[in-house]
Amino acid sequence: MEILFQTSRATAIETGLVAAIGFVREQDALASTRELHASGRELFEALNTATRGWIEDVFLRGEFTGKACETALLHRPAGMAAKALLLVGGGRRANWNTAELRKAAGVVLRTAKSKGFRDVCLLTEGEEVNAAMVSAIAEGALLGDFEPDAHKTDPKKNEKVVDRFYIQVPPRHTLDNALVRGTVLGEAQNLARTLINEPANLLTPQKLAQAASDMAARNGLECEILDRARMQQLGMGALLGVAQGSLEPPAMAVIKYSPAVSPLSSSAHLALIGKGVTFDTGGISIKPSEGMEKMKYDMAGAAAVIGAMQAIARLKPSIAVTGYAPMVENMASDRAQRPGDIVTSMNGKTVEVLNTDAEGRLILIDAITYAIRNGATHLVDAATLTGSIAVALASVHAGLFTNDAEFQKRFQTAAAAEGERFWPMPMDEEYKEMLKSAFADLPNISGGRYGGSITAAKFLEEFVEGKPWIHLDIAGTAWLDDAKPFLSKGPTGIAVRSMVRLAEDWL
Ligand code: BES
Ligand code: ZN
Ligand code: ZN
């Protein structure tokens, strides 16, 4: 799909579908459609006239109320060049924010696609379109376009595609870079989603590592893949203990971005670390069979890092960023580690593996130590780490854990600007006290059932050596069980754009 600008007036645009989102607010009664916010008024009047009052009609009848993501479709509008007009509801807010625009663009794209329109134009007439809005629209269209059906063989599935997505802008504009940025972010998230969606038989740790180095080669980044022998040399006993149960060898991708001119003001070196368990059976502490197929998405953190590094390579922020993606398959076998095994991590601390299903933290700690040894000054990790985070926050917010309030503020600002939600979780010392082993420095799980996502974070914190660090538990948010009007079922690509924004806005 191409994303292009369109500068004609709404009624003259000749695409299959044109979509109006600007003025369509949720209204209590038709009376208030007459009190449209000023910028939407003009477009409303133009389209209502061109459709001989259809817009007023659908509001009056209550067929359409303007709720967020609600749609109404009119075929062959009399006074328009387009074949159809789509209204997309904008909810109650008076002005569009980028989060809503991203979703609305996704709704437009998915509606156009499902109805067989090959080209569509999103109208912005009367609005003051700025760069952030254009980025969000382009990105939303790309996100909406993703389908998790790569392995379906029905040739008909390719019949319904949108070839061209137009964004209406004023004739004289300076929005080209904004369109590029939105495209870069959308493609980065879709790359992550494509990887997450792959089943574990097709996407082994080796294949995921190959995908990371292919991405790096395509985008001019350096990429090193650590293999088992190298990990043994480095003493990554925690990661290797998880990997030993699988015939598939582990890998760690290290993807490097250095800014062309190193910033004088800051010597910061950001590490992005992602959990890459290509399949999590639980190991000997095996998971129940129900829903286990979903554990192919246990590498969503690694995929997010690979996607983010692609966007970073293209957007060229002025901070050094290295991506680390430890990759293993967590299997049960005669070679698998056992509950009670004691492993030595790269930083020398010993860990008693009380539960082989708490494997994510074991591979992350060796990646964290390796990142610090490589000069990381700030760490962000993203991991589908615990089921508990979904118990606490459902799929609305991901969990955020940190040891540094200032770094948290910086990250939250980036996340808010990108419309991603991370809820700060407590990190009191009492949670650390729940991690007690009689036989090693630390156990990999706490005694009780409660606060599981927090004790997991406290476990990781033991390895960050006091560096500013943020842990994102994305177990509840990386996979969408039911499609939304703007997003397919399946992988969401969460954390990609917040990590990219963090790097972009560093200075
Ligand atoms: N990969 C899982 C966490 C997970 C659960 C991700 C559900 C996505 C959806 C992780 O490795 C795990 O198994 N965690 C255990 C930890 C427990 C053994 C302390 C969990 O959450 O149950
Ligand atoms: Zn597990
Ligand atoms: Zn896991």
Side-chain angles (χ1 to χ4, degrees), residues 280 287 357-359:
D280 184 8
K287 286 183 181 295
D357 196 12
E359 84 297 340

Side-chain angles (χ1 to χ4, degrees), residues 403-420:
N403 60 353
D404 189 299
E406 207 176 308
F407 192 26
Q408 174 183 353
K409 215 169 126 197
R410 202 190 260 279
F411 183 85
Q412 292 285 38
T413 304
E418 291 299 327
E420 288 193 322

Side-chain angles (χ1 to χ4, degrees), residues 148-154 157 197-199 202:
D149 62 357
H151 296 290
K152 283 188 182 283
T153 58
D154 181 358
K157 81 176 183 194
N197 193 51
E198 282 298 274
L202 302 179

